[in-house]
Amino acid sequence: MLIIFGASGDLTARKLVPAIYNLFKEGHLPEHFVVLGASRSNLSDADFRQRVVLESTYLKNKFKGEAASVIESFANKIFYTDLGSDYDTDYTGLADRIASLNQEYGTDENYIFYLSTPPSLYEAIAKNICEQDLSSEANGWKRLIVEKPFGYSLESAKQLNKGLHQYFKESQIYRIDHYLGKETVQNLLVTRFANSIFEPLWNRNYIHHVEITNAESGGVEKRGGYYDKSGALRDMFQNHLLQIVSLVVMEPPIGANAEEIRNEKVKALKSLRIMRDAETLHQNTIRAQYIASTIDGEKVKGYREEEGVDPESTTETYAAIKFFVDNWRWADVPFYVRTAKRMPTKVTEVVIHFKSPHHQIFRDAGMNDKANKLVIRIQPDEGILIKFGVKVPGQGFKVERANLDFYYSSLTETHVMEAYERLLLDAMQGDATLYARADEVEAAWEFVDPILEYWKNSDEKVYGYSAGVWGPENGDDLIEDLGTWRNPSENLAEDPGFCVIC
Ligand code: BG6
């Protein structure tokens, strides 16, 4: 039984129920599976089904051509219970409902509690679940999935971990990071550790620098209130991007089980060089905010004009960080990571820039631009591309750059699971590999905390960038002698170097 707290919120309808529907359609759900939504809205089972299934805009496309009986049998697996006016209340009513559904549908007392509420409620909800003896694994297993943000700082993340550990064991807690559910993020592990051609080069001897870009074309939309208290560093970098960094940086694990992989990821995160002094932080971090602009003839609001945002806000919607990794493999290799909203396109990619050949024998002007690159495209146009030099046919040795690529879309037979679909299935099967462990989350905060503190307490500038361009004018300053960021196109193989301006 999947019990969702905060079930009347947006995430349930937008992500969770569609993911469960996919699992249902593909035959992955156990026969006796049911969902129980719980929140503070006064809804009946039928109302809830209408909202998250039958009239859901997020399922409309999936339902096209589907028999009414199939949709109905899916909807009939979904129930709702009203918690009253407060999440911090007595859960006797909830416990009774769980017990009766368990009895009726034979769920063997195997329960997943999914917390999709503000994080300030996590501990209280865990306590109330525990008071009903619902966290005990005497009969059946019990798991707790928590959504991000997991803490607001290192201190609050530690408090939260400590709070939850009073009621659930670490092995019962699944901290969701939906980037880990993305097929292409997991493929980072496979690219590195299932091939013998990359790993020997995956170190300071061959890699010049590593660049990670996470760009979104959208702004903060309706989440201004949340985002203004968070900012790009907390919203994307501390979790999703540092998870990607850990997969790029980590040493080969002994095996593929959850603990071995997560042990190596923690080690990787702990080896990031923490920047503490103002001078280093000033030189290696850039923050900025989008300002009003016109994109393709359409007026776009600036961040400070967005609903729920303080008109004098200094919250960053763009963050770019340069850092080093203090271990044998990565000594002196700079990492450049940026994330931003209102960029020209939506794209996430990791680029491994290899060093130029140590001795150049083809003295072609511009040869330096032709150094090898490995582009790992996380989204869209998911795939992998290697840039390498080839001879231009004809006299002499003129070298041009060519691409060798693989696209997930070419696997027409394969259904690529959506992130939430994969992660929910893993949690049902008790596989925590793609969930963040307490020490991972804390190690990530340890790196991020001093940057946030510095930005808060110093007069470090917040630059502006027009909505629809690749960040502030000085964004490239971070890259020093290397030139510029690689501004990727929507298509993996395209090198556009474009930007949309008003
Ligand atoms: C969320 C952030 O975790 O990830 C959002 O809170 C962001 O601000 C989103 O838009 C991006 O996810 P994706 O999968 O669309 O890249």
Side-chain angles (χ1 to χ4, degrees), residues 131-148:
E131 274 172 6
Q132 297 298 325
D133 207 23
L134 284 168
S135 57
S136 147
E137 296 191 297
N139 295 309
W141 46 255
K142 311 290 180 301
R143 295 172 190 146
L144 183 76
I145 302 185
V146 289
E147 265 292 335
K148 67 170 267 261

Side-chain angles (χ1 to χ4, degrees), residues 148 178-179 182 216 223 235-236 240 341 346 379:
K148 67 170 267 261
H178 80 277
Y179 266 58
K182 292 183 193 273
E216 289 184 76
R223 298 162 72 229
D235 185 52
M236 289 297 302
H240 308 321
K341 296 216 181 268
K346 181 170 169 70
Q379 60 191 22

